Structure formats: structure tokens, C-alpha cells
Amino acid sequence: MFDSPSAPSAPSAPQGATGPGDVVDEAEAWARISGGAPLTALLDGQLGELRRLDSYGLVELAAAAERLSAWAAAVQAKVVQELDRRLSAEQISLSRGWMTPSAPSLTDIELAARLRTSRASAGYTVLFALALEQLPLTEAALAAGEITVAKAKILTRALGMTTAGVAAAVEREVLPRAATMTPRALRHEVARALHAYDPGAAAERAQVAQTERSVRLHPSGVDDGMAWLEAYLPTEAAAAIDGILARVARVARTDPTEHRTTDQLRADAFTATILDAWNSGSLPGSATPATQSTEGAPRRSVRRIRATDTAGLVHLTVSAATLLGADDDPGWIPGVGAVTAAVARALASDMRWVRILTDPASGTLLDHGTTTYTPPAALARHVRARDTRCVAPWCDRPAQACDLDHTTPYPSGATAAANLAPLCRRDHRIKHETPWQLTQPEPGQFVWSSPTGHRYARDPVPLMRPQPHGDVDAATRAAPEPDDSPPWEWLLSREPPWEADEEPRDLDDLVAA
């Protein structure tokens, strides 16, 4: 049996580096501690002693915390493996004709609801756990803290698409050196080993991966008016697009009046290409070319982002006070995030509008009106505006892209706001085809009940920033003291924590799911 890879030896202490109680020798001993309880006791005991440690000791304590994180991930994987076995058995016994290859996993759904994360993130957690079960050497190395969670994910993702024999051979080859590699180096090493042991499978893996090509939108994770647009493409297509953007940026930088950075030029070129194609009518589904001008009418800028309710390009929520310039509260694009007041006002100049009245205390929807009166359409707009997104606790799909579901099935339940909810197509299936149950005790308030007996509440969503109640302490409502220092100056001055030529990072590193 192949021995588990050993942890790297502790780095040599600097000559003459000593401290109270021979801190360096003590810190060197920490590198040999593994397992949950010993590491937890070490970290808990040292937290109050950080000031007595020298830099060497602090580095070793940070490494110990990383090993504890790896151990916790291995424990979670063991728990998820058992949970999946149990729920899979219950899924079969409780089946109501919905057990198909594409049926949603009860394990994914339960974890997404309990951890308050997305279905996709929970699904990756389950896949990671199940893959670890098939890679015993990787699982043992993770539990011992000999490899990080990031490295374990590289191994499970790469080896989960091959045979058990090839996976075991790659494990034996790369794990002894994995502890001393960077994640990027490990990824390349695993790829080389896979090609060596199973060269014929590379083409098959590429063919399967091509069917999963996609473009997805992710919030930036902070209210900075930005978002991530992720494209998963064949390597040759991604490389070609990257080369084109690089050339555009290089040509632009030859202009002495150009002050944008290379990254800014690449982003602007990408944005302009898509918007130009849409506004010129050259993309399927786009409107009449925006560049066509009628007699006496000025030509419109083809790079202006147009937000129209009917076309469904952008949906914006913004207060009347912001539109009138009375305040600068941000606007909100459902499913993406906040935009500044200036951007909201610019978008608003080209939108068709629907009036929404919110409760000042909670920011939630009170009333909804339109310029025309068509009851079914108005009711649908009311419910979508009230709930903003799919009402499943793990989902953030905008309500405009969701089905409208009767919480209590029609005709037992009325077609009314108190009995309607937006559900994306996948979560609509979960409600109707699995043992999960959904109730709506109050309009806009939803409670999901899972087969395990858990209950997950989803409260009404505030559309505007709630205003403080009159009994709130004045200090709570007071604005922060003026501060002339730049915000987050210490953070913004740091170099990005990745190399300029590094391949795109995993989304786990970019956003919280």
C-alpha cells in the first residue's frame, strides 16, 4: 500500500532567532501537529499569546490554521458522503415518479438551504466529497493537513473524469510532491500525468467539456457597481478572443493621449463589441439597428447601454428621490447588485417605468401600479417586483426569468398575490417533483420544509434601504464622522494576489456562492 505523502519539513529557523521560552523551537514543533483536536487546542491556546511570538512563530501558526482548515474540509466530506447515501436511499423510497437522470439531488438541495449557498456551490461540495471517497490517498493527505483544500479540489476535479486505475496511478505519482507545489504547478503536473497514463481519453474529455460551454453573470461580492462575466469556452476559442483583445489594447496604447490601462482597454473592447452588435441589430433577437437615423433625428450612440422593461435587458429599482437628485442612494439591478446613483439616473433616462410603492420602515413592496390596466399582467409584475428573485433560499435568479407558481395549487389556491411566487424552472421542479414543501404564511414570506425535517424561512425582500424607526437611538442613525483618508487605502495599495499571466482563478476565489 502506498504511504501517505509526508508533510514538508519545517523551514530552518533563522540563526540566533530565539525568544521567550525558546519560541522558535516551540514553533518548529507545531509543524508536526496534525488532526482536529490537537490543532484546535494549539490555535486556541496561542491566540492570546500572539504578541509574544516572533515572525517565525506567527508564520507557523498561520500554517497550522491552514492544516486545521484542510482537516475540517475532510470531515465535512465524510459527513456529506454519509448524508448522500442516506438521502439517496430516501429519494428512491419516496420517489413519486421523478427519479430520472436529470432529477435534482436531495443532498444538493438540503445543503444549499442549510448553508445558505447556491445550488451550484452545494453541488460542488457534494461532488468534491464523493470524488474524495474514490481517492483515498488524497482524502488521507487532506485530513492530515498535508495538502490544502485548493489542491484537493484540483485533484478531485481532474481525476473525477477518468477511470479508477488511472486516478490511482496519478495519485501515487503526484501526491508525494503536491505539498511543495503551487496549485497552478499541481494542475499542470496532474494534466501531464493524465496524458501519460491515458492519452486517448483527453479527446473524449474535451468532447464532453464542450457540451458544458456557457457564459454566466456573477456579482462582484461588494457593492462597487461591478460584476463578473465568466465565459467557459473551448481553449482555442478563448485563446483567440484573448489574443484579439490583447492586440486591440496594444494598438490603443500607441495613442499618446490614451490613459487607460491594458486591463481597462481589454474590458472596454469586449463590452463595446457586444453592445455594438446588439444595438446595430446584427445579433439574433436584437431590435431595429440603433444606428439607423430618421430624417431630422440625431443618430444614437451605439455604445449606450439601453435598459428597457419590454426587451428584458436590464431591470432597475431606484427611488424617486434619487431620480430627482434629492439623494444619492444607489439603484439595484436584480441578480447583479448595486449601481451608483449616477449610473441609475443615466439608465433611467431610457427606460419604460412601472410605479412601485414601498414601506419606508422595511423597504418591502406595498403597492404596485402601471400605466395600463391588465389584471393578469399587473398581478404578475406585482409578484415579481415584490419578491425580486426566485424564492428558493439557495437561488438568486431574477424574478423576471422565473415561472410564477401557485404556492397552494390551483384551483385549491387562488390566483392572487398571497398565493403566487416566482420560481426558476429547476426549483419549480423541486417543489412539484420532490418531497420538499413550500408554504406562504404571509404575502412575500415563504417557508420551505425538507425531507429531513428542517424548515427554511425566506422573509420579504426590501426593495429600498429601510428607514430607521422613530424609537431607534440617535447614535444608531447618526452618519459616520467625516474622514479624509482614502477608503481601504492599505488594501488598494497592495498588488493583486495573482500573477498577471496566470490563468483565470476558480470562482470559489472570486465570489462567495
Side-chain angles (χ1 to χ4, degrees), residues 312-406:
L313 296 181
V314 178
H315 291 261
L316 173 72
T317 300
V318 63
S319 69
T322 295
L323 290 181
L324 295 173
D327 64 37
D328 285 323
D329 283 346
W332 186 263
I333 298 178
V336 182
V339 295
T340 65
V343 171
R345 284 191 282 265
L347 288 173
S349 65
D350 197 25
M351 295 189 80
R352 289 182 58 181
W353 283 97
V354 174
R355 176 180 61 83
I356 294 177
L357 179 64
T358 60
D359 180 352
S362 65
T364 55
L365 181 69
L366 287 180
D367 179 52
H368 185 286
T370 65
T371 55
T372 60
Y373 181 73
T374 307
L379 179 59
R381 286 195 293 268
H382 174 94
V383 172
R384 288 191 168 101
R386 178 194 69 192
D387 298 324
T388 74
R389 60 175 176 82
C390 173
V391 301
W394 49 78
C395 188
D396 287 306
R397 181 174 288 272
Q400 288 80 7
C402 293
D403 301 333
L404 281 186
D405 172 72
H406 287 76

Side-chain angles (χ1 to χ4, degrees), residues 108-315:
D108 295 3
I109 303 167
E110 189 74 51
L111 287 179
R114 182 63 182 87
L115 302 180
R116 276 299 192 267
T117 187
S118 67
R119 279 274 313 279
S121 179
Y124 282 126
T125 299
V126 175
L127 288 176
F128 176 62
L130 298 183
L132 269 184
E133 196 169 24
Q134 306 305 315
L135 299 171
L137 298 180
T138 301
E139 187 173 41
L142 181 67
E146 295 163 2
I147 59 173
T148 63
V149 177
K151 293 178 182 179
K153 286 183 176 180
I154 289 171
L155 287 161
T156 55
R157 288 174 182 174
L159 302 183
M161 297 180 65
T162 189
T163 63
V166 171
V170 174
E171 266 193 310
R172 287 193 296 269
E173 178 173 325
V174 304
L175 265 176
R177 291 173 287 124
T180 60
M181 294 182 190
T182 65
R184 185 180 185 184
L186 177 62
R187 187 182 293 112
H188 292 166
E189 190 73 12
V190 170
R192 282 193 290 267
L194 277 173
H195 277 280
Y197 287 111
D198 194 7
E204 183 179 346
R205 286 194 297 269
Q207 187 176 6
V208 172
Q210 287 229 12
T211 64
E212 299 174 357
R213 60 190 182 277
S214 62
V215 177
R216 295 176 181 173
L217 179 67
H218 303 276
S220 68
V222 293
D223 289 338
D224 57 1
M226 304 291 284
W228 291 98
L229 191 63
E230 171 208 18
Y232 182 58
L233 305 172
T235 301
E236 63 276 13
I241 294 171
D242 180 73
I244 292 169
L245 294 176
R247 179 177 176 81
V248 169
R250 283 197 303 270
V251 171
R253 291 300 296 271
T254 62
D255 183 350
T257 64
E258 180 58 71
H259 299 295
R260 287 174 290 178
T261 66
T262 298
D263 281 344
Q264 290 169 348
L265 287 165
R266 287 165 58 91
D268 292 347
F270 176 81
T271 304
T273 300
I274 299 296
L275 295 181
D276 285 356
W278 175 267
N279 289 338
S280 65
S282 60
L283 283 179
S286 55
T288 303
T291 51
Q292 293 179 354
S293 58
T294 56
E295 187 176 354
R299 289 173 64 88
R300 299 185 61 164
S301 167
V302 296
R303 294 187 183 178
R304 181 179 181 183
I305 300 176
R306 296 187 296 133
T308 61
D309 185 62
T310 53
L313 296 181
V314 178
H315 291 261

